[in-house]
Amino acid sequence: MKPPKRPPLSARDRLLLLVLPGALVLMIYAVFINPGHNSALSKARTQLEQARKQAGSGVASTAALSADLTRLKQDLEKVKRESEALKQGGDTLQRAKSVTQVGDLLRKHGLVVVEEGPAGAAGAIAPANRRGAAPNATSSPVWAIRFLGTWPGVQATLQAMPEVADLTCFPLGLTMQESAQGNSVHEWTLHLRL
């Protein structure tokens, strides 16, 4: 017996016979073969986003570093100017201003200035130069200030000296004489390099 004849396929059926096997192969590929590629693509996208964030913060940190570099260059120039002024002895006005600033700083911390002037050969204040005398170009670059006060006031003064703007002197030495009364107020002599 002969099998019955199949009816001819319609255009829709022929289309389904072509598309359905292709869709089935595509689904099998997506589920079983391609998942590794999808996870690699997801990792790559995550790394790309992280790299973009880091690159953005890198630009901000570059701007911050540039500002720090500019500030450090300005500080270096200031230190060079101060160092050069100390090497050359500075001009008369600047040295007088520095002595005045140190005197003000001593008074601010409760210390009483007794006398000041250029230091002699023995480190003492030269007798011709007493309190109020400004250093001049021919005087010694070492200035001595004799004052009365307690150690905490002296310590606070020495710690505050680097913070004073335009102060072009630095301490060379500090001596103390014991108080005759046995109290905490002593006589101090501060030697400054102008």
Side-chain angles (χ1 to χ4, degrees):
M1 187 154 129
K2 221 175 174 187
K5 208 175 186 188
R6 288 187 182 171
L9 294 174
S10 67
R12 179 177 159 253
D13 292 338
R14 278 183 281 177
L15 182 65
L16 285 175
L17 280 176
L18 287 173
V19 171
L20 284 179
L24 181 64
V25 168
L26 187 62
M27 284 184 358
I28 291 172
Y29 177 78
V31 171
F32 296 108
I33 298 171
N34 197 33
H37 297 292
N38 285 337
S39 64
L41 181 61
S42 298
K43 283 182 185 178
R45 284 185 181 156
T46 305
Q47 290 174 349
L48 177 64
E49 289 301 319
Q50 289 175 349
R52 283 183 181 163
K53 288 179 183 177
Q54 288 176 351
S57 67
V59 170
S61 66
T62 303
L65 289 175
S66 176
D68 287 345
L69 180 63
T70 304
R71 183 184 49 79
L72 288 173
K73 284 181 180 178
Q74 291 170 348
D75 290 347
L76 178 64
E77 288 300 317
K78 180 182 175 188
V79 168
K80 283 182 181 178
R81 283 192 310 270
E82 290 174 355
S83 173
E84 194 62 33
L86 288 173
K87 286 179 187 174
Q88 296 176 357
D91 64 321
T92 305
L93 182 63
Q94 182 61 37
R95 292 196 291 171
K97 182 180 176 185
S98 293
V99 169
T100 304
Q101 287 176 322
V102 171
D104 292 343
L105 197 59
L106 288 167
R107 285 185 281 285
K108 178 182 174 185
H109 290 97
L111 305 170
V112 178
V113 177
V114 176
E115 69 177 338
E116 61 184 45
I125 298 173
N129 296 300
R130 295 292 178 212
R131 185 168 188 251
N136 56 37
T138 61
S139 69
S140 169
V142 178
W143 196 258
I145 302 175
R146 195 165 58 101
F147 57 94
L148 299 173
T150 61
W151 170 244
V154 174
Q155 187 178 19
T157 301
L158 292 175
Q159 288 175 344
M161 282 180 73
E163 298 169 4
V164 176
D166 298 331
L167 187 64
T168 57
C169 64
F170 61 91
L172 289 177
L174 179 68
T175 59
M176 179 193 79
Q177 290 181 351
E178 288 291 332
S179 172
Q181 292 85 15
N183 59 17
S184 62
V185 176
H186 302 290
E187 182 178 313
W188 305 83
T189 304
L190 177 64
H191 296 275
L192 300 170
R193 168 71 165 89
L194 295 178

